[in-house]
């Protein structure tokens, strides 16, 4: 019997088993999201994945995405992923110690600092008009929506024996992926920042902040905290930090109440050929600020929403390049989980709402009373220590910092699985 | 564009080798996929919908940002007689300084949260207007809170700086950057960052309780003038210097 025939039989069996124990069908995201059509982005990527969300510009946070849902060709019912995602602070201290900005809370990414898109800002995409979020709101071209190729999504060379032709047969499953990209640009003095969200066709979400524009014209220093960017050894442009925070509020399948889990993998002696590793997990049940160690990761798990394998749907935080800033205690944690609270708006420099307490400065205060997490909000910090280089003039080539949210058991198999691989689910017993 | 160019280059090679490759290609006809043509490659750029902008509605829905009409309506409702007569704006006139408006849709219905600053008491005022009922729903005020500056506050800050003898630093930086002597504020655009004194900062410790800013000024010919050591205290209408 060929491999393919076996796989087909397994598929039938799996379907039958699932038919008996099928979890409740996903609650469909409303056909109309809770915002007007002009504030809705609903786009289908070439592989059949549809992302739907509401967007708006906040005078301080800039671009805010809410009610983010995804559906795929295999799973056409939209399932909600995020309640909201936005920037929550951008701290920019110079290494000289003489200048420091909190670009969101002392200046703001929306309103008059939000750039009207022009030129190549949205090449190949669709520029969307909306209010700029200022106190005197203006309708402007502020959001770029585009679909961009993301390279090879998967590749599989399947080899099997063709009984009829009595010869080997090769099948190549190879597919290009795409991202739905949302982008806005804010100008803060000489720096220009790109707020970007990439919604991948496999369910991944990437949040990034890009910095371009120009280096600070006034911040020049000496060799041990600057870099000579003009002729010879004279103009030492100051090194500085960009520490960005994002506020991420999941609402998986519209059910909320996610559980936060931390996973750690450690060496555990030796097997017959190699080191043995053991992975343990624990629930982060109470508010906490946490740090990375090698192989540590976190995920937010729906307590009730399951995929067709009966596994709880979750999203994993995937972090990458990061420079922590020791100058402030609140820049130490890589991630902080807090119980949702309307007074917790900004990761630092939070005190700016007369309805809220005066001593609630930032994430460390939000987490201080270690409340039980029943409605967790995730605050992700990613820092970039910028050592200027000759090439930064001018304009400065974009430098990026950010993180990914990776679906983990959101669907029972690869949501982009091609015909011929759809039945592969679990150990292949042939 | 880069994609198109790459294909053009690829085809160039293909043309040169086409004659010698012909025999091999015909032999492999079934195996070799046809290379995409330049036009097909150019069209491979995935498309998103491109809706035409619609006229701004009077009222927003759900999580929409506040519309112009909603902000206008909310501002009228937020300005109580007490605020209009009792509070003071950045120019020292009667009425609070209007800062910003945000939508709150997390509670039932759409509400507009309006922020004002009262320079008389150095308090931030938050007025919550229920857009459905058209009523001022809640009022809050507190000292020691400093959200970002309005455009008018930035402009007043620049005036205060230029009128002060300590603006000599700024004027010197202007000349250094532009090569021209400072001849007035025409064409200058000021960006104001709120400054709040941290415990270790020296020179403007009142800032935080007082409303203070640091200015980044863009000149008409695109230069940025930055004098971060000079703090403009909008509440005290004076210039302070960080030491």
């Amino acid at each position: 019997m060929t491999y393919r025939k076996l796989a087909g039989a397994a598929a039938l069996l799996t379907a039958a088993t699932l038919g008996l124990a099928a979890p409740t069908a996903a609650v469909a995201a409303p056909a109309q999201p809770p915002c007007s059509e002009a504030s809705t982005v609903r786009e289908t990527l070439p592989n059949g994945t549809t992302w739907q969300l509401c967007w708006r510009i906040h005078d301080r946070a800039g671009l805010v995405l809410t009610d983010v849902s995804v559906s795929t060709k295999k799973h056409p019912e939209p399932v909600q992923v995020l309640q909201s995602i936005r920037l929550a602070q951008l701290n920019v201290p110079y290494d000289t110690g003489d200048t420091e900005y909190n670009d969101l809370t002392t200046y703001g990414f929306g309103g008059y600092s939000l750039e009207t898109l022009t030129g190549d800002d949205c090449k190949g995409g669709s520029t969307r008009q909306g209010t700029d979020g200022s106190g005197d709101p203006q309708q402007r071209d502020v959001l770029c929506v585009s679909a961009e190729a993301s390279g090879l999504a998967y590749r599989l060379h399947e080899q099997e024996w063709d009984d009829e032709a009595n010869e080997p047969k090769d099948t190549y499953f190879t597919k290009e992926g795409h991202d739905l990209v949302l982008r806005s640009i804010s100008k803060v003095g000489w720096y220009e920042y790109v707020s970007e969200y990439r919604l991948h066709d496999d369910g991944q979400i990437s949040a990034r902040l890009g910095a371009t524009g120009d280096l600070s014209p006034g911040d020049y220093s000496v060799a041990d905290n600057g870099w000579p960017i003009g002729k010879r050894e004279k103009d030492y442009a100051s090194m500085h930090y960009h520490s960005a925070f994002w506020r991420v509020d999941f609402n998986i399948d519209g059910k909320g109440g996610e559980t936060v889990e931390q996973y750690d993998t450690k060496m555990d002696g030796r097997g017959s050929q190699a080191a043995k590793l053991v992975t343990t997990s624990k629930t982060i049940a109470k508010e906490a600020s946490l740090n990375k160690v090698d192989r540590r990761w976190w995920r937010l798990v729906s307590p009730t929403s399951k995929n067709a394998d009966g596994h709880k749907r979750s999203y994993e935080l995937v972090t990458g390049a990061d420079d922590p800033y020791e100058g402030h205690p609140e820049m130490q944690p890589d991630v902080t989980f807090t119980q949702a609270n309307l007074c917790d708006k900004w990761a630092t420099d939070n005190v700016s709402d007369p309805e809220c307490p005066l001593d609630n400065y930032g994430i460390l205060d939000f987490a201080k009373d270690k409340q039980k997490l029943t409605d967790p909000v995730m605050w992700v910090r990613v820092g970039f220590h910028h050592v200027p280089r000759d090439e930064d003039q001018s304009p400065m080539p974009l430098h990026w910092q950010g993180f990914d949210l990776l679906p983990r058991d959101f669907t029972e198999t690869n949501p982009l699985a091609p015909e011929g691989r759809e039945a592969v689910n679990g150990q292949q017993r042939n | 564009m880069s994609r198109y160019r790459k294909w053009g280059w690829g085809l160039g090679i293909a043309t040169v080798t086409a004659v010698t490759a012909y025999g091999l290609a015909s032999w492999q006809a079934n195996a070799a996929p046809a290379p995409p043509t330049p036009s097909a490659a150019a069209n491979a750029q995935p498309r998103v919908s491109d809706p035409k902008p619609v006229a701004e509605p009077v009222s927003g829905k759900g999580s929409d940002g506040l519309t112009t009409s909603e902000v206008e309506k909310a501002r009228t409702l937020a300005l109580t007689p007490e605020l209009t007569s009792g509070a003071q704006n950045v120019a020292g006139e009667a009425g609070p300084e209007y800062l910003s408006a945000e939508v709150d849709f997390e509670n039932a219905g759409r509400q507009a949260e309006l922020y004002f600053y009262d320079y008389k008491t150095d308090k931030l005022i938050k007025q919550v207007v229920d857009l459905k009922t058209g009523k001022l729903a809640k009022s809050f005020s507190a000292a020691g809170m400093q959200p970002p500056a309005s455009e008018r506050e930035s402009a007043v800050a620049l005036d205060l700086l230029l009128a002060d003898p300590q603006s000599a630093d700024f004027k010197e930086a202007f000349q250094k950057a532009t090569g021209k002597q400072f001849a007035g504020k025409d064409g200058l655009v000021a960006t104001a960052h709120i400054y709040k004194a941290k415990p270790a900062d020296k020179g403007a410790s009142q800032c935080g309780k007082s409303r203070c800013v640091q200015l980044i000024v863009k000149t008409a010919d695109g230069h940025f003038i930055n004098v971060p050591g000079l703090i403009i205290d909008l509440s005290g209408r004076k210039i302070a210097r960080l030491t």
Side-chain angles (χ1 to χ4, degrees):
Chain A
M1 191 183 256
T2 65
Y3 169 78
R4 188 184 295 268
K5 280 176 195 155
L6 246 182
L12 282 174
L13 186 65
T14 312
T17 315
L18 284 176
L20 293 172
T24 326
V27 177
Q32 283 304 316
C35 58
S36 68
E37 192 59 30
S39 316
T40 303
V41 169
R42 191 190 299 106
E43 297 293 340
T44 300
L45 294 164
N47 285 342
T49 298
T50 301
W51 285 97
Q52 175 184 290
L53 56 95
C54 296
W55 68 276
R56 74 175 188 285
I57 302 293
H58 183 279
D59 75 333
R60 273 173 271 182
L63 181 59
V64 182
L65 308 186
T66 54
D67 295 280
V68 181
S69 297
V70 67
S71 62
T72 58
K73 206 184 267 181
K74 283 178 72 182
H75 302 86
E77 287 288 301
V79 182
Q80 190 171 350
V81 178
L82 295 174
Q83 187 57 47
S84 67
I85 189 166
R86 63 165 171 85
L87 278 166
Q89 189 54 285
L90 177 58
N91 176 249
V92 187
Y94 282 74
D95 289 15
T96 54
D98 292 332
T99 312
E100 178 172 14
Y101 301 109
N102 282 318
D103 281 336
L104 259 57
T105 53
T106 70
Y107 189 68
F109 264 23
Y112 49 75
S113 52
L114 190 74
E115 288 283 295
T116 301
L117 300 178
T118 184
D120 276 2
D121 291 346
C122 194
K123 198 163 187 180
S126 164
T127 305
R128 304 290 169 91
Q129 201 179 73
T131 170
D132 62 8
S134 81
D136 177 16
Q138 307 294 316
Q139 293 282 312
R140 298 195 272 130
D141 289 340
V142 292
L143 177 72
C144 176
V145 178
S146 64
E148 296 179 9
S150 56
L152 194 58
Y154 57 71
R155 205 259 186 198
L156 179 69
H157 176 186
E158 189 183 64
Q159 292 168 299
E160 60 188 343
W161 188 261
D162 187 330
D163 280 347
E164 285 168 25
N166 203 27
E167 60 183 23
K169 190 183 168 202
D170 295 296
T171 311
Y172 295 91
F173 299 99
T174 166
K175 196 72 173 175
E176 182 185 40
H178 292 88
D179 299 339
L180 178 64
V181 186
L182 286 84
R183 210 181 271 138
S184 70
I185 303 174
S186 305
K187 186 170 178 65
V188 182
W190 41 81
Y191 256 95
E192 298 190 16
Y193 291 103
V194 181
S195 297
E196 187 188 271
Y197 295 96
R198 302 185 83 89
L199 310 172
H200 304 241
D201 54 7
D202 61 1
Q204 184 180 318
I205 297 171
S206 302
R208 295 202 298 173
L209 178 70
T212 178
D214 255 326
L215 288 165
S216 168
D219 290 278
Y220 281 81
S221 50
V222 292
D224 65 0
N225 56 23
W227 193 270
I229 61 166
K231 289 207 181 298
R232 290 177 288 280
E233 318 301 312
K234 194 166 136 269
D235 298 335
Y236 287 84
S238 289
M239 301 173 193
H240 55 276
Y241 257 89
H242 302 264
S243 288
F245 286 88
W246 284 261
R247 181 190 184 277
V248 188
D249 186 5
F250 280 93
N251 189 9
I252 295 176
D253 201 5
K255 295 175 186 335
E258 291 81 12
T259 306
V260 180
E261 290 179 350
Q262 175 177 301
Y263 284 78
D264 282 286
T265 301
K266 294 200 167 97
M267 294 290 157
D268 186 37
R270 288 194 66 82
S272 61
Q273 288 193 58
K276 269 170 79 175
L277 282 78
V278 63
T279 297
T280 54
S281 71
K282 65 174 183 182
T283 298
I284 306 294
K286 292 175 181 172
E287 292 180 319
S289 286
L290 303 164
N291 279 96
K292 291 191 276 192
V293 299
D294 288 345
R295 293 180 299 274
R296 172 173 290 173
W297 52 277
W298 297 275
R299 69 168 182 158
L300 285 99
V301 192
S302 171
T304 48
S305 180
K306 293 174 182 174
N307 69 20
D309 276 353
H311 297 150
K312 287 173 179 172
R313 289 192 167 110
S314 74
Y315 262 77
E316 175 183 340
L317 171 64
V318 179
T319 54
D322 167 50
D323 295 321
Y325 179 69
E326 289 86 353
H328 293 299
E330 64 272 19
M331 305 291 171
Q332 303 301 301
D334 293 307
V335 62
T336 298
F337 294 98
T338 64
Q339 177 72 358
N341 181 333
L342 289 176
C343 282
D344 301 347
K345 299 177 182 183
W346 310 105
T348 69
D349 197 21
N350 178 62
V351 180
S352 57
D353 183 345
E355 192 177 351
C356 295
L358 262 165
D359 58 354
N360 196 31
Y361 177 78
I363 44 168
L364 299 181
D365 303 295
F366 306 166
K368 199 160 59 185
D369 56 355
K370 300 201 179 301
Q371 277 186 66
K372 198 178 164 198
L373 289 171
T374 57
D375 184 6
V377 170
M378 178 167 78
W379 306 81
V380 185
R381 182 200 53 76
V382 182
F384 174 65
H385 184 230
H386 186 184
V387 179
R389 53 191 175 116
D390 268 342
E391 290 82 353
D392 283 340
Q393 287 178 309
S394 170
M396 178 165 39
L398 268 157
H399 56 79
W400 293 96
Q401 58 200 96
F403 62 94
D404 299 321
L405 302 170
L406 186 72
R408 175 170 284 279
D409 309 343
F410 205 76
T411 50
E412 59 282 5
T413 56
N414 184 347
L416 302 179
E419 213 175 303
R421 299 301 295 176
E422 287 166 319
V424 181
N425 185 16
Q427 190 171 12
Q428 300 304 296
R429 294 178 177 84
N430 56 339
Chain B
M1 194 61 219
S2 63
R3 180 187 293 257
Y4 185 88
R5 198 179 298 136
K6 274 180 210 153
W7 279 118
W9 176 226
L11 280 181
I13 293 172
T15 313
V16 174
T17 54
V19 178
T20 49
Y22 177 73
L24 188 67
S26 55
W27 181 60
Q28 286 190 330
N30 293 326
T37 62
S39 62
N43 290 337
Q45 170 78 24
R47 293 261 167 236
V48 290
S49 67
D50 191 23
K52 281 206 176 91
V54 293
E56 189 189 21
V58 173
S59 302
K61 180 187 164 192
S63 60
D64 287 359
L66 294 171
T67 67
T68 308
S69 315
E70 285 175 330
V71 170
E72 275 172 14
K73 180 178 161 185
R75 282 182 71 172
T76 310
L77 292 160
L79 281 176
T80 60
E82 291 136 311
L83 275 184
T84 312
S85 59
Q88 220 171 61
N89 71 14
V90 68
E93 300 154 352
E97 183 67 26
Y98 171 59
L99 299 180
S100 62
E102 292 170 16
V103 65
D104 175 14
F105 56 92
E106 302 204 20
N107 298 313
R110 272 168 72 81
Q111 295 189 320
E113 298 180 341
L114 270 60
Y115 291 84
F116 298 88
Y117 198 79
D118 177 10
Y119 277 91
K120 199 175 197 173
T121 58
D122 264 322
K123 280 184 175 173
L124 180 68
I125 296 160
K126 177 184 182 181
Q127 301 286 72
V128 183
V129 173
D130 187 320
L131 292 165
K132 199 174 170 191
T133 62
K135 285 190 175 134
L136 179 62
K138 289 180 278 186
S139 292
F140 306 91
S141 73
M145 293 188 176
Q146 306 295 349
S150 67
E151 281 180 290
R152 181 162 68 165
E153 287 177 313
S154 303
V156 168
L158 180 61
D159 288 344
L160 285 171
L161 173 66
L162 294 179
D164 191 277
Q166 295 183 78
S167 64
D169 286 12
F170 170 83
K171 288 166 186 166
E172 194 185 308
F174 179 95
Q175 185 157 11
K176 203 174 156 193
T178 63
K180 285 177 269 181
Q181 196 167 357
F182 182 73
K185 67 170 186 176
D186 281 359
L188 298 185
V189 179
T191 295
H193 277 269
I194 290 291
Y195 171 77
K196 283 174 276 191
K198 290 184 277 286
D201 293 5
K202 289 192 187 80
S205 58
Q206 76 275 22
C207 294
K209 277 201 164 61
S210 296
R211 189 156 171 78
C212 304
V213 298
Q214 288 172 302
L215 286 183
I216 294 164
V217 181
K218 194 179 176 193
T219 65
D221 55 355
H223 290 92
F224 285 100
I225 315 297
N226 183 28
V227 191
L230 289 180
I231 305 295
I232 297 98
D233 177 351
L234 291 167
S235 302
R237 299 184 72 79
K238 62 184 179 192
I239 311 303
R241 187 183 291 270
L242 295 180
T243 53

